[in-house]
Amino acid sequence: MICLKKGKRNIRFIDDKSMHLQIRCSVFAVCNDGLHDYQDSAYPEKSFGWREIVPPFYTCLCDGVSGAYKSKAFADVVSLACGTSGTKAVTEPKSVRSLGDKWIAQQFKEIDDAYPNAIDINKREKILLDRDSIYHRRAATTLNILEIKQDEAVVSSYGDTVCFHIRGKEIIAQNPPLSADEFTNLPYQINTDTDHLLQSEFITSATPIQTGDILLLATDALAQWLVSDSPDLPQEKRIKSLISISSDDEFDMFIGEERKNKRIHNDDTTMMKIEIKFTGD
């Protein structure tokens, strides 16, 4: 398996303009069992069948931090921004802070809608969103941004949400390149008070794409499960079982069984599977 480290690139150029790039996107999600509300966010939000795309095409998967405040809503704001504009959405000056401002405005509206006549409750809730208040709380999320170009997949990660490039029965690239025991030691995340990220703060990698490739984005519990290895369930079988999933029910049953067997952590679990196909005129 090739793990692309920070700053290293592996690029192949395709000059055949007659080739058309198509993708199929599948998005599956399962909430944790009773720990907290679902916090992940994917863009695109829903699965779609084969369609031709005009590169660059962006996707984004975020894992809202459960210990932070209202992280699901912030993860939704970030995934939408990065899923439509790529890393530009979080690397321009004050870009992340502006996403935080959008999140605050959404929370203010929700508070006004929920407590239109309860002035004390309304005021108490809004103090939590005041950046100058000693009671101020933040939302936070990790993110993994995939940019599909005509000839390659470019991945930019910040945190432990992972993109796997699968070819056949093998993972040929992984970003970030974490081993199974490293997932609890990667605290990188952006929050609603962050100004912006530097491009150099991302772990960025690029690999050539070809027909049959699968780009699989996974939040930390599933990613950790995939890079684990055991005699009863070697990685080749793990890859096969994941890429064969084609429905929400199958994903629910799969995660439920792995939790029952204590092979995967009880956490929000989200997977985005992007399948690649080139066709001629």
Side-chain angles (χ1 to χ4, degrees):
M1 180 179 70
I2 301 172
C3 290
L4 297 182
K5 302 289 186 177
K6 193 171 184 177
K8 294 187 178 180
R9 298 171 65 86
N10 178 15
I11 302 174
R12 179 184 66 180
F13 295 96
I14 298 176
D15 296 323
D16 188 351
K17 302 301 183 183
S18 68
M19 299 298 289
H20 299 272
L21 176 57
Q22 294 187 0
I23 67 170
R24 178 165 62 183
C25 175
S26 304
V27 181
F28 306 111
V30 175
C31 187
N32 65 87
D33 288 334
L35 296 179
H36 51 72
D37 292 339
Y38 179 73
Q39 303 284 347
D40 298 346
S41 182
Y43 186 88
E45 295 180 79
K46 298 181 180 180
S47 304
F48 58 81
W50 287 107
R51 66 173 60 167
E52 185 174 331
I53 63 167
V54 178
F57 180 87
Y58 300 105
T59 73
C60 182
L61 183 58
C62 293
D63 185 350
V65 178
S66 58
Y69 180 71
K70 306 279 188 178
S71 287
K72 167 61 175 169
F74 183 54
D76 287 342
V77 170
V78 174
S79 67
L80 174 61
C82 293
T84 52
S85 302
T87 58
K88 178 181 178 181
V90 289
T91 54
E92 293 189 339
K94 298 184 179 180
S95 55
V96 179
R97 191 174 180 87
S98 70
L99 296 178
D101 291 341
K102 185 174 182 180
W103 169 81
I104 289 173
Q106 290 179 352
Q107 300 312 303
F108 267 52
K109 184 177 185 307
E110 288 189 9
I111 292 168
D112 287 338
D113 290 343
Y115 308 107
N117 301 313
I119 298 175
D120 290 343
I121 297 176
N122 188 302
K123 183 177 180 180
R124 185 174 67 234
E125 289 294 313
K126 288 182 177 179
I127 286 176
L128 301 178
L129 300 167
D130 184 352
R131 288 192 173 110
D132 295 324
S133 168
I134 61 172
Y135 303 106
H136 176 53
R137 299 185 65 185
R138 305 172 181 85
T141 185
T142 67
L143 62 157
N144 192 298
I145 303 167
L146 169 63
E147 178 185 3
I148 301 175
K149 297 185 176 182
Q150 182 63 33
D151 59 346
E152 64 179 348
V154 180
V155 181
S156 300
S157 65
Y158 195 76
D160 55 7
T161 297
V162 181
C163 181
F164 299 95
H165 190 155
I166 299 171
R167 183 168 294 162
K169 301 177 181 179
E170 181 184 4
I171 298 172
I172 65 169
Q174 174 191 333
N175 183 344
L178 301 174
S179 63
D181 59 356
E182 290 180 304
F183 278 84
T184 57
N185 297 313
L186 198 73
Y188 301 110
Q189 53 196 240
I190 60 172
N191 66 62
T192 44
D193 288 348
T194 302
D195 187 278
H196 70 285
L197 291 176
L198 299 176
Q199 188 65 49
S200 59
E201 293 182 271
F202 282 101
I203 297 176
T204 301
S205 59
T207 52
I209 54 175
Q210 63 185 43
T211 293
D213 283 359
I214 293 175
L215 302 163
L216 192 148
L217 286 78
T219 49
D220 55 345
L222 184 60
Q224 185 180 37
W225 175 90
L226 186 54
V227 299
S228 300
D229 203 357
S230 61
D232 63 319
L233 193 62
Q235 189 175 78
E236 184 176 317
K237 286 188 176 181
R238 293 174 189 253
I239 294 171
K240 183 178 179 180
S241 63
L242 269 190
I243 64 177
S244 66
I245 292 172
S246 60
S247 70
D248 293 330
D249 287 343
E250 288 181 23
F251 191 67
D252 288 352
M253 291 177 61
F254 162 75
I255 296 298
E257 187 66 20
E258 291 308 293
R259 286 178 182 172
K260 179 181 176 181
N261 292 326
K262 300 188 183 302
R263 286 193 291 236
I264 191 169
H265 290 299
N266 177 21
D267 193 6
D268 295 336
T269 307
T270 305
M271 177 177 86
M272 182 188 297
K273 179 174 66 173
I274 306 291
E275 299 169 82
I276 302 293
K277 178 169 66 175
F278 287 95
T279 60
D281 285 329

